[in-house]
Amino acid sequence: MSPTTPHIASQLRHLIYYHLDQDLISNALFLAGRLQGYEPRSPEAAHLLSLCHLRLGQTQAAYDASRSQGSRGLHLGCAYVFAQACRDLPHRHKEGIGALERSRGLWGGRNNWNKHSETTRRHLPDAAAAYCLLGKLWLGHGDPLKAVECFEESLKLNPFMWDAFTGLTDTGANIRIPNIFKMTPEMLAILSSESEGAPDVDLSTEEVSRGGPLQSQKNNNSTNAPPQIDPFLAPSLSSTVGQHSTLNGASRFQKLSDSLASHLSSKGSPLNIGGGSCVEAMETPTGPGGAMDTKVMGALVGGGSGTALSTATEPPHAPVRKQRPLHHMDFGNDAPPRMRATSTKARMASRSEVEEISDAAPATRHGASLSVNGAHKRTISGHSTHASTSQANDPSAPGQRRSVRLFNQIRPTSSKFSSTTGSLGHREGRDLKKARATGTKGRVGNGSSTVGRVVSGNRKPIEMDIDSKENLQSQTHVITQPSNTNSGASKVTKQHEALQCLLDLFGRLGDGHYSLAHFLCQEAIQSLSAIPSSQKQTPWVLAQMGRAYYEQASYTEAEKYFRKIRSTTPSRLEDMEIYSTVLWHLKNDVELAYLAHELLDIDRLSPQAWCALGNTFSLQRDHDQALKCFKRAAQLDPKFAYAYTHQGHEYISNEEYDKALAAYRSGVAAENRYYNAWYGLGKVNEKLGDYDAAIKHFQTAAAINPKNSVLIVCIGVALEKLKNPRAALIYYAQAEKIAPRSTLARFNKARVHMSLQEPILALEELQLSKDLAPDDANVHFWLGKVYKTLRQKANAIKYFTIALNLDPKANQTIKNAIESLEDEADDDDMS
């Protein structure tokens, strides 16, 4: 009979997920095509096919494969893949938003946090992921307000959604970092549910689900400890006790239960066969299988009456027995021989019933037997062991061993020993040896004690009383049980501490990123310097520090961090365009050329590599070649605002202002908060004489980056051109406050004071500028002009000469100033 289509499709889905997990996307795509052939109308088949296309970078194919199911929001996976494809395709953002909104009923309220591990995963998105993607789509559509709302919702559900946080900072929104990186109510609820522990699991979950006779009962001794299935118990018994598979049929199970019930009730046993607790009379087990033996016996007893079964993972605490002193006994030089300490089992009525139990319960580990109240015990082979008095009255019974007779003589008053050290006949001895041989197989090196073993010959017994051994095991059980009970709570506490540590780390990283996004460079440096040292050396943190120093125009410090990135992770491409700009400002043409060569070797299709090459040509004043490189970078990444902005710079150098305007506008369209593009628009308008438009663009750039003194100075310069020097002085003073060690603001302020016929104020600013930049030829030249105005000829000539030495290219201008000074002196002499 040929397999049906659903079975074939199921196997194909398993294979597709296998190849996706193994990152064999091409194989997964081939299999997804087969699944699509078998189930052409299945939304899951469409989801897997589109997902494979998306992971292979085939965005248009993913869009087409998921459109029918995803655009209408009928399948969550298809809608999510469709929205991702719309984000990467031009002018498709609104379609992706509509698909996610229509499927909101499928992902709203889903939370997959803490549900992923090495063995489990969720292949469909939850609400946090969907909100994050919605925010990106709204941002691409040009609606930052709705994008901010979506990013906020995503972070409320999952504070580790770093994409949502960076998207929030890219919009320029004012946020409070402590309100983001904190434990959410959902996270606390999941952790609290884990601290309560997993519910008790019945030995036969299949039987419980079917309404069978075995029902789980709460364990009063251990409320938080998860159920532990004994690995040494036969699988058939541990998993399907309710089906009686290990008892060779329901009739034998019923017969066994009835015999147990009648025998135990006749002896006045406190065992409650009718459905109560059956563990009150159980002794503390002496072997490692005692706990599971209690479970098995409870199952046998409970099954006979059809009542509830206690599936406690640990036996109840046995009363601590008083150790009997042996000071009145004289053992001589040798210690008395020891007897085996038997485990606790129920008493059996007759030899036939015992043999039947021995045959019917082969899953009892190591053949250990159960005793109730210590009144009747069995050997390991399953035979009943009567008191020594019964054997003495029976003349047909085989004789006792010499060691047993000696032991009974020295302890005639011990009821415990009289009930546990009965004689072993010849046949019983053979059975005991056989049971010991089979029971100890596979137990070598497990640390099990040999206390209670009957020794003969010249073997020296271990000197430990049986009662003390049982007391020790009972005490050990009492001590170790709280550790098992509290293990779940301890694990949850450690998870909570680890999460809090991660949230603190994310808070510091987020604070640094947020400060840098708002160009609060010094605050960003302080925040990033406070993180652990192991995190400081990661490439992302080093890049953030380098960018912070770059925005402060501290190019030497920025170069140190980018050099460290290149030494630790030479294949990193992110932020390398900033490093190339730093080298351009430092005029390090050799290092810049080497950087561009290495980046191209790593990835010739990366925009960062072509931008570094463009800066190399720009430093060599080859503006045409630089333009080609920047255009290539923009082709590789149409959203790369850096490439468009530097195209505009090169166009300005070639005095192609119309093309420069177009390039800067493309940069603004790619990234609205890229202040360099706004600055470029202002410079072009200033060159074209449109000072009002220039001031407007400069102010927009300054609003984005209020800590940049150059932008404030540009506004002042434009106001000077508009014949408004007093307003320009206000902006220059503001720039001085932002950057007290910047000479640009002081120099322009001095020029305005000179134009206002205020040479004394101008001299003060120029003196400060000279101290800050002693090698600036313009500062010395203007000092000469100020001293000329103040008619201090000697000082004027001094500073004109220094300016001439610092800038020989301005030879003619400085000579004209000196000659004019001499002409004025001649005019004064003639007058």
Side-chain angles (χ1 to χ4, degrees):
M1 181 179 178
S2 60
T4 60
T5 299
H7 292 86
I8 297 175
S10 176
Q11 289 298 322
L12 281 174
R13 281 192 290 270
H14 290 318
L15 290 171
I16 292 169
Y17 282 120
Y18 166 79
H19 286 90
L20 287 174
D21 291 339
Q22 302 302 319
D23 203 21
L24 302 173
I25 313 300
S26 298
N27 290 350
L29 178 61
F30 176 78
L31 293 169
R34 304 315 104 222
L35 180 62
Q36 183 77 4
Y38 277 107
E39 296 181 340
R41 298 181 180 276
S42 171
E44 188 173 356
H47 168 229
L48 292 174
L49 182 63
S50 60
L51 180 63
C52 293
H53 282 303
L54 187 68
R55 292 194 180 183
L56 284 173
Q58 302 170 0
T59 309
Q60 186 63 47
Y63 174 87
D64 295 335
S66 60
R67 184 176 182 179
S68 61
Q69 299 288 338
S71 61
R72 295 178 292 171
L74 300 179
H75 187 267
L76 178 56
C78 291
Y80 194 71
V81 173
F82 181 76
Q84 287 180 301
C86 291
R87 180 196 60 185
D88 297 332
L89 292 174
H91 312 297
R92 302 277 190 182
H93 299 94
K94 192 65 176 177
E95 295 182 40
I97 294 170
L100 286 179
E101 290 293 344
R102 295 185 190 98
S103 63
R104 182 182 289 271
L106 300 176
W107 54 262
R110 289 173 61 97
N111 192 344
N112 295 340
W113 180 82
N114 208 29
K115 296 179 182 178
H116 291 75
S117 65
E118 294 84 354
T119 57
T120 61
R121 67 184 180 90
R122 300 289 189 274
H123 64 278
L124 294 178
D126 61 355
Y131 274 122
C132 182
L133 182 56
L134 261 179
K136 293 178 181 179
L137 288 169
W138 279 117
L139 200 59
H141 185 62
D143 194 338
L145 294 179
K146 291 186 178 180
V148 167
E149 294 177 1
C150 293
F151 289 141
E152 287 178 352
E153 292 297 327
S154 178
L155 288 170
K156 287 178 183 178
L157 296 172
N158 187 354
F160 296 105
M161 194 67 67
W162 186 256
D163 269 2
F165 175 74
T166 56
L168 198 61
T169 56
D170 290 342
T171 60
N174 294 321
I175 57 179
R176 293 187 61 189
I177 303 300
N179 290 341
I180 294 179
F181 298 107
K182 63 180 182 180
M183 298 287 285
T184 64
E186 291 80 4
M187 296 167 65
L188 292 173
I190 292 174
L191 290 178
S192 62
S193 64
E194 290 181 358
S195 65
E196 294 175 359
D200 292 338
V201 179
D202 187 52
L203 292 175
S204 178
T205 55
E206 182 180 0
E207 189 70 21
V208 171
S209 63
R210 295 177 180 177
L214 298 180
Q215 301 295 329
S216 62
Q217 192 177 40
K218 186 176 180 180
N219 180 13
N220 296 325
N221 294 331
S222 177
T223 58
N224 293 330
Q228 299 174 356
I229 303 302
D230 194 336
F232 296 100
L233 186 63
S236 60
L237 182 63
S238 63
S239 60
T240 57
V241 174
Q243 300 175 8
H244 324 311
S245 61
T246 62
L247 300 179
N248 300 324
S251 60
R252 176 167 292 187
F253 180 87
Q254 185 65 36
K255 182 177 181 180
L256 173 63
S257 300
D258 295 339
S259 63
L260 280 173
S262 60
H263 177 70
L264 294 175
S265 61
S266 63
K267 296 296 181 180
S269 171
L271 284 171
N272 188 357
I273 306 298
S277 176
C278 63
V279 297
E280 294 179 4
M282 297 295 182
E283 295 183 4
T284 303
T286 59
M292 188 53 66
D293 290 340
T294 305
K295 285 185 180 182
V296 174
M297 184 54 64
L300 298 179
V301 174
S305 58
T307 56
L309 171 66
S310 174
T311 59
T313 61
E314 296 288 344
H317 303 165
V320 179
R321 298 173 182 171
K322 295 182 179 181
Q323 188 170 344
R324 295 177 175 84
L326 301 179
H327 61 275
H328 62 282
M329 302 180 186
D330 184 12
F331 295 104
N333 295 329
D334 295 330
R338 302 296 316 281
M339 291 299 295
R340 172 175 297 275
T342 58
S343 60
T344 56
K345 284 282 187 172
R347 293 180 299 175
M348 303 303 158
S350 62
R351 175 65 57 86
S352 61
E353 291 178 351
V354 171
E355 289 178 352
E356 187 169 306
I357 293 175
S358 178
D359 295 335
T364 304
R365 186 155 46 106
H366 304 314
S369 58
L370 188 68
S371 175
V372 181
N373 284 339
H376 192 83
K377 301 198 174 191
R378 292 186 293 121
T379 64
I380 294 178
S381 62
H383 295 84
S384 177
T385 304
H386 298 278
S388 58
T389 57
S390 63
Q391 191 178 37
N393 297 330
D394 188 2
S396 62
Q400 290 180 331
R401 289 188 180 183
R402 178 175 177 273
S403 59
V404 176
R405 292 198 304 271
L406 290 174
F407 196 75
N408 290 334
Q409 290 174 6
I410 62 175
R411 296 195 63 179
T413 59
S414 175
S415 61
K416 174 69 180 178
F417 277 82
S418 64
S419 63
T420 58
T421 59
S423 61
L424 298 176
H426 183 68
R427 183 172 181 273
E428 286 82 350
R430 281 202 307 271
D431 293 342
L432 177 61
K433 291 179 181 178
K434 291 179 182 179
R436 184 180 297 126
T438 58
T440 56
K441 184 181 294 184
R443 294 175 62 189
V444 178
N446 63 354
S448 60
S449 175
T450 59
V451 174
R453 172 181 175 186
V454 178
V455 295
S456 62
N458 58 359
R459 296 183 184 178
K460 187 175 181 179
I462 301 175
E463 296 182 1
M464 180 181 290
D465 188 39
I466 295 177
D467 288 352
S468 64
K469 169 63 179 178
E470 293 181 353
N471 287 337
L472 177 61
Q473 289 183 345
S474 178
Q475 293 171 5
T476 304
H477 172 70
V478 174
I479 293 173
T480 57
Q481 187 175 358
S483 63
N484 295 332
T485 306
N486 297 330
S487 60
S490 175
K491 182 180 179 181
V492 171
T493 302
K494 291 180 180 179
Q495 288 181 354
H496 189 279
E497 293 175 354
L499 283 174
Q500 193 58 51
C501 180
L502 282 176
L503 288 172
D504 292 342
L505 174 62
F506 270 59
R508 295 176 186 270
L509 295 175
D511 194 12
H513 182 76
Y514 173 78
S515 299
L516 187 57
H518 287 74
F519 303 98
L520 305 173
C521 300
Q522 196 59 38
E523 290 83 347
I525 292 172
Q526 292 176 358
S527 298
L528 295 174
S529 299
I531 65 175
S533 58
S534 60
Q535 295 292 324
K536 288 181 185 178
Q537 303 305 318
T538 55
W540 186 87
V541 176
L542 293 173
Q544 296 295 303
M545 294 287 286
R547 289 176 70 100
Y549 282 110
Y550 162 75
E551 293 294 344
Q552 286 184 328
S554 302
Y555 302 119
T556 303
E557 290 294 324
E559 184 190 15
K560 294 178 182 178
Y561 286 95
F562 285 113
R563 277 182 179 274
K564 192 174 293 185
I565 295 174
R566 295 293 301 160
S567 62
T568 55
T569 54
S571 60
R572 181 181 173 88
L573 295 172
E574 291 80 6
D575 302 305
M576 287 300 105
E577 74 279 4
I578 304 297
Y579 184 29
S580 66
T581 307
V582 170
L583 295 175
W584 187 93
H585 283 287
L586 295 174
K587 311 299 180 185
N588 193 343
D589 54 348
V590 176
E591 188 66 26
L592 180 56
Y594 182 69
L595 174 65
H597 176 74
E598 280 194 326
L599 294 179
L600 285 172
D601 286 344
I602 295 170
D603 187 4
R604 294 185 64 85
L605 298 180
S606 64
Q608 294 87 355
W610 287 99
C611 286
L613 186 60
N615 283 326
T616 303
F617 286 117
S618 177
L619 187 59
Q620 297 171 358
R621 298 185 182 277
D622 191 347
H623 303 297
D624 293 333
Q625 290 296 326
L627 274 170
K628 292 180 181 179
C629 295
F630 291 127
K631 286 181 179 179
R632 177 59 177 159
Q635 288 176 353
L636 293 171
D637 186 1
K639 294 294 183 180
F640 201 47
Y642 181 95
Y644 295 112
T645 302
H646 281 70
Q647 285 182 46
H649 295 342
E650 300 305 319
Y651 281 126
I652 288 179
S653 299
N654 288 339
E655 297 183 354
E656 299 179 78
Y657 300 122
D658 292 337
K659 293 182 179 180
L661 276 176
Y664 287 130
R665 286 168 181 163
S666 298
V668 170
E671 186 176 344
N672 190 42
R673 283 181 52 82
Y674 195 67
Y675 75 93
N676 286 299
W678 291 103
Y679 164 79
L681 287 173
K683 292 299 290 184
V684 172
N685 284 282
E686 184 182 357
K687 296 279 187 182
L688 295 175
D690 191 353
Y691 299 114
D692 291 327
I695 291 173
K696 180 180 178 181
H697 293 310
F698 286 142
Q699 287 177 339
T700 303
I704 298 172
N705 186 0
K707 298 298 183 179
N708 194 319
S709 62
V710 176
L711 299 175
I712 308 300
V713 170
C714 289
I715 297 174
V717 172
L719 289 171
E720 279 189 70
K721 299 294 180 65
L722 290 174
K723 308 299 182 181
N724 193 353
R726 294 296 178 184
L729 281 176
I730 296 174
Y731 279 96
Y732 293 147
Q734 183 180 349
E736 280 184 5
K737 293 179 180 179
I738 295 173
R741 298 187 62 82
S742 175
T743 60
L744 183 61
R746 296 184 183 278
F747 177 75
N748 284 279
K749 191 176 180 181
R751 288 192 306 101
V752 172
H753 283 306
M754 285 293 293
S755 65
L756 295 175
Q757 302 299 321
E758 298 172 349
I760 302 299
L761 296 177
L763 181 61
E764 293 177 0
E765 297 294 339
L766 289 171
Q767 289 289 353
L768 293 173
S769 300
K770 178 179 70 72
D771 295 337
L772 294 172
D775 296 332
D776 192 341
N778 283 327
V779 173
H780 291 279
F781 177 75
W782 276 91
L783 274 172
K785 292 182 71 172
V786 170
Y787 281 116
K788 177 184 175 182
T789 304
L790 294 175
R791 296 185 179 277
Q792 296 181 15
K793 182 179 178 181
N795 287 330
I797 294 175
K798 172 185 174 181
Y799 285 105
F800 281 142
T801 305
I802 295 174
L804 183 62
N805 293 332
L806 290 174
D807 188 8
K809 294 180 180 179
N811 186 9
Q812 189 62 40
T813 303
I814 297 174
K815 283 185 177 181
N816 291 336
I818 295 175
E819 290 175 358
S820 65
L821 183 62
E822 293 177 353
D823 292 339
E824 289 180 1
D826 292 340
D827 293 340
D828 292 340
D829 292 340
M830 290 177 64
S831 61

